Amino acid sequence: MRGRRVERNDVGGPGPRRLRGWGGVSAMAAACAVTAVAVLLPLAQAAPETAQAGPAAPAVAPAAPAVQETCQDPEASLRPPGVDGPAIARIKAAGKLVAGVDQNSFRWGYRNPVDGKLDGFDIALVKAIAKDILGDENAVIYRAIPTSQRVPALVEGRVDIVVRTMTINCDRLKDVAFSTAYFEAGQQVLAPKGSPITGYDDSLKGRRICTAAGSIAESKLKENGYGSVSVTVPNQLDCLVRLQLGEVDGIVTDNALAAGQAAQDPTVRLVGSPFTREFYGVAMNKDATDLVRRINKVLENYRAGGDAGQWAKAYRTHLEAVLPGIPGPPAPKYRDG
């Protein structure tokens, strides 16, 4: 993989400014910048005429059942099928599904250097959802959103769905709704080969550790950073850039994302073991209960078929090379109401 687009803030950090690994960060950014602007609409810069096709406001639907305060089973979602309601009607009237995605996560949501188009495991799922609702997998407006903007984008009605390696958890369920889980991951440490960092443990003491704002990794480091110095950036891939430049000593992120980064840069590796168990879901506005049920129906079909099914095909195409040995998707969990 030689052509990924890299975005980073012009913020200096401690340590020597040198580039690790293959290629040049600046050169790769320049190579993809033109197609990125032409094809993918950043969330904050959507063109006025395009914005008309997107959700102007959150759908008005019967309120979802309140999340139990104990929140003992956050992965449990609304059962399919359901009657289409205002959220589905609005998407059909617009003729487009507005999806918040990543364009910087190799194998998940990234710009393919061969054709300049968005590609990845999450993008394949967005296409399946668009195909089911609108009859056309390409009837999608993609909007690039940083990690910290995933929830605000849904709450404010700027996107219909977020499919961006987003972990289902109790805190997020206070603000948004989730589908059933479509992938299982866990937090782990990514560090340069030869680093004294051995995992999420005391070896982090005094080390500069990077996380994305609004991520599970950021909250875990706040709970217990083992004496590390936290460095927070808008997008997860910015952490890899900082690591390549020697501005940080390690990264904490989902192992699913980190495996893709390790595949891009042979000078880094996953260390230690995953220290959380997390499930990715499709996120939606909390009031869009008809959309939640519809996407859960899509996911039932997506998981079906064993090795010949859509989930298995997407896994083989996008993830097997970097995350081998995964037998299949998580089983769905449902709640009544």
Side-chain angles (χ1 to χ4, degrees):
M1 174 68 185
R2 294 180 177 274
R4 78 182 189 281
R5 180 174 183 250
V6 177
E7 296 177 341
R8 66 182 297 268
N9 293 339
D10 292 326
V11 178
R17 299 182 58 84
R18 60 188 180 85
L19 181 65
R20 302 183 195 268
W22 55 273
V25 175
S26 299
M28 287 184 285
C32 295
V34 174
T35 53
V37 171
V39 181
L40 187 68
L41 292 175
L43 181 64
Q45 299 177 0
E49 64 272 20
T50 306
Q52 292 175 3
V60 178
V67 178
Q68 294 182 0
E69 291 194 12
T70 54
C71 192
Q72 295 178 351
D73 199 4
E75 291 84 33
S77 185
L78 297 175
R79 295 181 183 275
V83 177
D84 287 350
I88 298 294
R90 177 175 46 73
I91 292 169
K92 288 183 175 180
K96 295 286 186 180
L97 176 72
V98 184
V101 298
D102 197 354
Q103 64 171 342
N104 292 319
S105 293
F106 184 45
R107 300 291 187 175
W108 289 94
Y110 71 105
R111 194 159 297 283
N112 193 317
V114 175
D115 56 15
K117 295 181 180 179
L118 282 174
D119 203 358
F121 191 81
D122 280 346
I123 304 303
L125 179 53
V126 171
K127 289 180 178 180
I129 294 169
K131 176 71 173 178
D132 183 84
I133 296 175
L134 296 169
D136 180 3
E137 69 173 22
N138 296 313
V140 181
I141 296 174
Y142 293 103
R143 289 186 175 167
I145 55 176
T147 305
S148 62
Q149 285 298 304
R150 292 178 298 187
V151 169
L154 290 165
V155 172
E156 296 166 13
R158 291 178 279 167
V159 296
D160 297 311
I161 61 175
V162 168
V163 187
R164 193 187 183 285
T165 57
M166 190 169 178
T167 299
I168 305 167
N169 63 30
C170 293
D171 188 56
R172 290 171 178 164
L173 280 168
K174 296 173 185 175
D175 299 307
V176 300
F178 278 99
S179 70
T180 53
Y182 66 87
F183 199 84
E184 181 178 343
Q187 295 294 310
Q188 199 166 347
V189 179
L190 188 73
K193 291 179 179 177
S195 167
I197 295 174
T198 57
Y200 193 69
D201 52 33
D202 290 335
S203 66
L204 298 181
K205 186 174 182 179
R207 308 290 176 184
R208 298 159 298 179
I209 303 301
C210 189
T211 63
S215 66
I216 299 294
E218 181 190 30
S219 64
K220 290 297 181 183
L221 274 186
K222 287 180 179 178
E223 291 173 10
N224 182 11
Y226 288 100
S228 62
V229 178
S230 178
V231 178
T232 305
V233 296
N235 283 300
Q236 205 278 329
L237 189 64
D238 294 335
C239 283
L240 182 61
V241 175
R242 294 272 183 126
L243 190 64
Q244 290 171 327
L245 292 171
E247 296 177 355
V248 298
D249 303 303
I251 301 168
V252 176
T253 186
D254 299 5
N255 60 351
L257 293 173
Q261 294 181 355
Q264 288 176 286
D265 188 339
T267 71
V268 301
R269 64 187 179 96
L270 283 163
V271 295
S273 301
F275 58 93
T276 64
R277 188 182 184 197
E278 300 170 14
F279 296 90
Y280 296 159
V282 179
M284 291 149 278
N285 186 277
K286 198 169 184 177
D287 292 331
T289 54
D290 60 321
L291 182 58
V292 175
R293 293 182 187 277
R294 181 67 174 263
I295 289 180
N296 282 338
K297 172 180 170 289
V298 173
L299 284 170
E300 285 206 338
N301 295 331
Y302 201 71
R303 297 184 193 96
D307 289 342
Q310 289 177 281
W311 189 98
K313 181 179 178 180
Y315 168 71
R316 288 194 299 270
T317 300
H318 301 292
L319 298 180
E320 188 172 37
V322 296
L323 287 169
I326 296 176
K333 295 180 179 181
Y334 296 112
R335 58 183 170 86
D336 295 320

